[in-house]
Amino acid sequence: MSRSKLVIIGNGMAGMKCVEEIIALEPDTYEIVIYGNEPRPNYNRIMLSKVLQGEHSLQDIIINDWSWYAEHQIRLCAGETVHRIDTRGKYIETESGLKETYDFLILATGSSPFIPPIPGIDKERVMSFRTIDDCNRMSDYSKTYRKAAVIGGGLLGLEAARGLLHLGMEAVVVHNAHYIMNRQLDEKAAAMLQQELEDQGMSFLLSKNTQKITGRSQAQGLLFTDGSKLEAQVVIVAVGIRPNVDLARRSGIATNRAIMVDDYMRTSVPDIYAVGECAEHRGISYGLVAPLYEQGKVLARTLCGQETPEYKGSIPYSQLKVSGVDVFSAGEISGEGMQTAIQHLDGIQGTYKKVLMQAGKVRGAILFGDTAEGTALLGLVQRGADVAELAPREGAPDPAEMAAAALPVQETVCACNNVTKAAIMKAIQEQGLETADQVKEQTKASGSCGGCRPMVAALLKHTHNLKNNGGTEVEATPDKPAPMSVCSCTALGHAELKGMLADFVDQETDLTSILKQLGWRSEHGCAVCRPVIHYYLQLSGGTIVAREIEGHSEVQVRWDDQIPVSSYARDGRGLAAQLRASWIGAAMPSPVNMGVAPGQGSLVSALVQDIGLLASPAGWEIYAGGHAEHPVKQGGLLGVAETEVQAATLASACLQWYRQTAWYDEPLWAWTERLGFMSIRETLLDDQLQKELVAIHHHERDVASASPMKQFLESPAVQGTV
């Protein structure tokens, strides 16, 4: 039985993914013929930069070698460019005169580098970076020339520049935006990447528009629209791609920016399909590998006559290693209505995380330095998940649930439909609701604008956790939040438990005895209540024989080595070192992040730290109660200090007050909301109380005589200040 002939124009990654899928599904259905304009088998174009950088050879990046085509009886016509399709006669013709009939045709013609209409763009030593041949040319140029300019600060331009550095050339990246990779990163992540690349030897000219490429017949440099110049003997153009649609357009196939396809990758002409960078689906043409592979799978199943979900489009994402730096970007990172759900910067480790939301849904994410969460975040973006689904830090309470628990029971959650927290929790408990959609159906909460859906989801989680732990939400007034029981072992809340444990301060007894006297439901307690009890006893000066679990010992202090250009910028490393030495190993109710920013524009944002210290013309501004993750909160101004010693003292007093008055597992931002920021501020601005709090902290610490903390707190400067 004769097989239908399937002809593929294009030997790139998208077309070959489709062929691989067809072979896996129905290997005997088609006689497959492939035409590729490069004289080599299919290779991974993404890895070209690694070839340029000397990490791989051409053979290393070959996806399917010559033997693969032979093994699967595929005829590869390499080095042949198709210039005509006869859609009525159902045959193609190459520039060399070859003709090939087809039953089904796939256009996988890919794209070409976009060449902007800059005067001088056609001079010698001006080139793009797209193929193995381009790699070879750049390698050849490096043997003679030393100065290169790369026009384009996107991923491809940066990879090209890194390759040039490896070849021993000077590389200057010229970009028309004010920060690099502006389509995938935000300004902060881009600044971190730029710093890393500059450390590797790369240079940057940002917000520059090239007016022309100078030189007679050969490139000698760039002239910019602001009148400045750059000397360059080699110019690499990497400003984007353009879908290869000329062949389809000449053949009467409908095109727009690219070849227009439906949800099954069918073009306007029967038996002709398009896939990859040359295809336009629902007005979008994709330039990333993941969407192209998704298209290839749908097309393969379609051609094999198998049922398949239609292709509905893709969430663009990139998980890349840019010149040795891990970078992840997914979904929308800017646009109208976009808000920050999570933002976390670790200036010491060089990592950055940002999650974007819109109307309570996860819409985009950026990771820099550590991309381990990329897959999980991509799933949330693809599903348009509720912000409440964002996973909290391991071992830390869920901030969204903490906010739900702290909300007064009569507080209105859904303003559109006038639904209170009490009404939502009652519906969940009495009707056994399991999902936010069920809550919406029963109460109408989040049924209109959807803005309150994250809180609805958090209340759902909070209510179920209360039930699972044997606790209930007790009666409460509109201005009094309902307390939560510590765990299922007791009906006591944190305030009651903390007060009752004061009776055991002077006793040296075991945990089992304490639990028995407190009327605990379980003999040994559980993993939830044991650390709570120990923390409150430890804080009050009590002891437990053979204690097994201690409180959180996480006070992270971050600072920024980059000193912004300003008249008052300061080097915060000394202040950060003092705070770190003072609080290292201290048991805290919940992990604490402190940030020291040397001035405005710092990579460390003092306003979204638990404790933030920001250099100012008056000295140091001290902020408290900020939060970089969901729910994002800006810290309040606690006070202003003229010296580093005064700043460290006020920050330390705030931390000690937090230790003494917060509930276990209560984040600092939630503590400020519960006590009231102005009340905390007025308390801590009492000089005498500051002195007492620092003295208490000093007394609690078990330090050696040479401890940096002890030396700092006992120094005459500190004692004189407090």
Side-chain angles (χ1 to χ4, degrees):
M1 182 177 177
S2 62
R3 296 182 294 173
S4 298
K5 184 187 288 187
L6 174 63
V7 175
I8 298 96
I9 302 178
N11 190 34
M13 298 175 69
M16 289 307 96
K17 182 63 175 179
C18 183
V19 171
E20 290 173 1
E21 293 290 328
I22 290 172
I23 291 172
L25 293 170
E26 299 285 348
D28 299 322
T29 300
Y30 293 105
E31 174 191 350
I32 300 176
V33 183
I34 300 171
Y35 282 79
N37 57 10
E38 290 192 55
R40 52 184 63 92
N42 174 233
Y43 62 89
N44 188 339
R45 200 178 299 277
I46 298 172
M47 301 297 288
L48 280 176
S49 59
K50 306 304 179 187
V51 175
L52 189 63
Q53 294 168 24
E55 296 180 22
H56 296 296
S57 65
L58 170 59
Q59 189 58 42
D60 293 331
I61 68 171
I62 294 291
I63 299 175
N64 302 308
D65 60 18
W66 298 106
S67 63
W68 179 85
Y69 295 87
E71 177 186 350
H72 296 288
Q73 300 179 343
I74 297 172
R75 179 155 53 91
L76 172 61
C77 301
E80 293 285 351
T81 301
V82 177
H83 80 103
R84 178 171 177 252
I85 303 172
D86 188 318
T87 58
R88 292 186 178 180
K90 298 186 76 169
Y91 69 87
I92 64 172
E93 186 174 349
T94 69
E95 290 181 350
S96 66
L98 295 179
K99 289 185 178 182
E100 190 81 51
T101 60
Y102 65 85
D103 295 304
F104 300 96
L105 179 67
I106 298 176
L107 298 175
T109 50
S111 62
S112 300
F114 172 67
I115 306 299
I118 301 172
I121 200 77
D122 56 349
K123 296 183 187 299
E124 290 184 31
R125 299 199 302 270
V126 179
M127 58 176 292
S128 57
F129 178 43
R130 182 71 176 170
T131 68
I132 283 291
D133 293 333
D134 294 331
C135 286
N136 294 335
R137 287 179 63 193
M138 292 168 70
S139 181
D140 290 340
Y141 284 145
S142 70
K143 298 172 183 176
T144 305
Y145 307 104
R146 283 290 170 267
K147 296 186 177 181
V150 179
I151 302 177
L155 173 64
L156 193 62
L158 298 180
E159 291 286 21
R162 185 65 187 85
L164 292 168
L165 291 176
H166 174 77
L167 294 172
M169 300 186 73
E170 299 175 18
V172 180
V173 176
V174 178
H175 196 42
N176 58 3
H178 66 281
Y179 63 91
I180 58 177
M181 285 190 71
N182 49 294
R183 292 186 178 181
Q184 291 87 17
L185 304 179
D186 66 357
E187 194 163 356
K188 191 175 294 291
M192 295 176 73
L193 177 59
Q194 181 176 335
Q195 181 63 58
E196 176 67 29
L197 296 177
E198 286 176 341
D199 291 343
Q200 295 179 18
M202 206 176 295
S203 300
F204 294 88
L205 290 176
L206 303 179
S207 299
K208 289 286 189 180
N209 290 289
T210 305
Q211 181 173 314
K212 73 173 184 178
I213 298 174
T214 60
R216 291 189 177 181
S217 60
Q218 299 178 331
Q220 295 296 330
L222 305 179
L223 173 65
F224 302 113
T225 54
D226 61 4
S228 60
K229 298 179 180 180
L230 173 68
E231 181 184 352
Q233 300 152 320
V234 176
V235 176
I236 311 298
V237 181
V239 294
I241 58 175
R242 172 175 287 170
N244 293 326
V245 299
D246 290 344
L247 174 62
R249 187 174 289 134
R250 289 196 305 268
S251 305
I253 300 170
T255 63
N256 187 26
R257 181 177 183 270
I259 303 169
M260 300 174 69
V261 298
D262 65 8
D263 292 348
Y264 296 94
M265 314 314 297
R266 296 175 294 207
T267 70
S268 61
V269 176
D271 299 330
I272 298 182
Y273 303 80
V275 68
E277 292 176 334
C278 68
E280 180 177 324
H281 174 264
R282 300 187 184 184
I284 302 175
S285 55
Y286 298 92
L288 298 171
V289 170
L292 312 188
Y293 279 5
E294 292 174 23
Q295 293 176 0
K297 291 180 179 179
V298 171
L299 178 51
R301 296 187 69 87
T302 299
L303 287 169
C304 291
Q306 299 189 7
E307 289 188 12
T308 179
E310 64 271 22
Y311 177 68
K312 296 181 179 179
S314 301
I315 298 294
Y317 75 93
S318 305
Q319 184 148 354
L320 312 160
K321 187 178 286 289
V322 183
S323 298
V325 182
D326 289 314
V327 178
F328 172 84
S329 175
E332 303 173 46
I333 61 170
S334 62
E336 187 175 351
M338 298 296 291
Q339 297 176 300
T340 300
I342 292 176
Q343 188 170 18
H344 179 71
L345 171 69
D346 188 330
I348 304 301
Q349 299 296 325
T351 61
Y352 176 67
K353 173 184 176 181
K354 185 176 184 180
V355 180
L356 289 303
M357 65 180 180
Q358 186 179 52
K361 302 288 187 180
V362 180
R363 297 299 184 195
I366 297 170
L367 298 174
F368 179 91
D370 181 359
T371 59
E373 293 182 73
T375 301
L377 287 174
L378 175 61
L380 296 178
V381 173
Q382 289 174 330
R383 290 191 292 108
D386 291 335
V387 174
E389 291 188 43
L390 289 169
R393 290 175 305 193
E394 183 178 355
D398 182 350
E401 188 183 355
M402 289 293 298
L407 194 70
V409 293
Q410 296 303 323
E411 184 76 21
T412 297
V413 173
C414 179
C416 297
N417 298 295
N418 194 30
V419 186
T420 64
K421 171 182 175 179
I424 293 171
M425 294 189 68
K426 182 178 180 181
I428 295 170
Q429 291 170 339
E430 294 182 353
Q431 300 178 47
L433 305 182
E434 298 289 339
T435 68
D437 285 336
Q438 290 176 343
V439 175
K440 180 177 68 175
E441 291 173 6
Q442 296 297 323
T443 68
K444 296 185 179 180
S446 76
S448 297
C449 73
C452 62
R453 188 176 175 94
M455 179 54 75
V456 172
L459 281 171
L460 185 71
K461 183 176 180 180
H462 170 54
T463 306
H464 284 301
N465 283 343
L466 279 175
K467 180 181 178 181
N468 294 337
N469 291 330
T472 59
E473 195 104 300
V474 300
E475 293 296 326
T477 60
D479 60 347
K480 180 182 177 182
M484 297 172 58
S485 60
V486 171
C487 69
S488 60
C489 301
T490 179
L492 296 177
H494 283 266
E496 295 172 288
L497 175 62
K498 191 174 181 181
M500 294 177 71
L501 286 173
D503 296 335
F504 296 90
V505 169
D506 297 326
Q507 300 181 28
E508 189 162 306
T509 185
D510 58 66
L511 179 61
T512 302
S513 175
I514 292 176
L515 294 179
K516 184 176 180 179
Q517 294 180 64
L518 290 174
W520 235 242
R521 295 167 183 159
S522 59
E523 182 180 359
H524 302 293
C526 67
V528 175
C529 62
R530 285 196 300 268
V532 178
I533 292 171
H534 176 76
Y535 177 76
Y536 289 151
L537 279 172
Q538 183 187 44
L539 194 66
S540 301
T543 60
I544 297 177
V545 176
R547 58 180 181 262
E548 48 189 87
I549 300 175
E550 300 213 0
H552 295 288
S553 296
E554 299 181 29
V555 180
Q556 296 188 18
V557 184
R558 300 175 175 85
W559 68 86
D560 184 4
D561 288 326
Q562 177 181 330
I563 309 300
V565 179
S566 74
S567 59
Y568 59 85
R570 294 177 174 83
D571 187 343
R573 286 173 290 190
L575 177 56
Q578 289 178 348
L579 289 168
R580 171 174 284 181
S582 177
W583 288 96
I584 188 169
M588 304 299 293
S590 182
V592 172
N593 289 321
M594 301 181 70
V596 180
Q600 294 288 349
S602 168
L603 293 178
V604 173
S605 176
L607 298 181
V608 291
Q609 307 290 330
D610 292 312
I611 303 288
L613 297 94
L614 173 65
S616 70
W620 289 92
E621 297 174 355
I622 297 87
Y623 294 85
H627 192 244
E629 301 180 7
H630 179 72
V632 177
K633 293 183 179 295
Q634 180 173 308
L637 180 62
L638 201 59
V640 178
E642 294 183 3
T643 67
E644 288 187 8
V645 169
Q646 292 171 338
T649 299
L650 179 54
S652 293
C654 182
L655 275 180
Q656 184 62 28
W657 188 237
Y658 166 59
R659 294 181 72 215
Q660 293 182 202
T661 57
W663 309 142
Y664 187 80
D665 259 352
E666 182 178 32
L668 197 145
W669 66 265
W671 169 72
T672 60
E673 289 191 349
R674 181 170 61 84
L675 267 62
F677 181 80
M678 291 306 298
S679 173
I680 295 172
R681 185 175 186 272
E682 291 174 5
T683 298
L684 292 176
L685 291 183
D686 183 318
D687 290 343
Q688 181 60 34
L689 182 59
Q690 280 188 39
K691 178 180 179 180
E692 292 175 2
L693 290 170
V694 172
I696 291 170
H697 172 50
H698 184 195
H699 176 72
E700 288 178 345
R701 289 295 306 265
D702 180 15
V703 294
S705 58
S707 165
M709 184 278 294
K710 184 174 183 180
Q711 293 174 359
F712 167 61
L713 290 176
E714 291 183 342
S715 67
V718 173
Q719 294 302 311
T721 300
V722 300

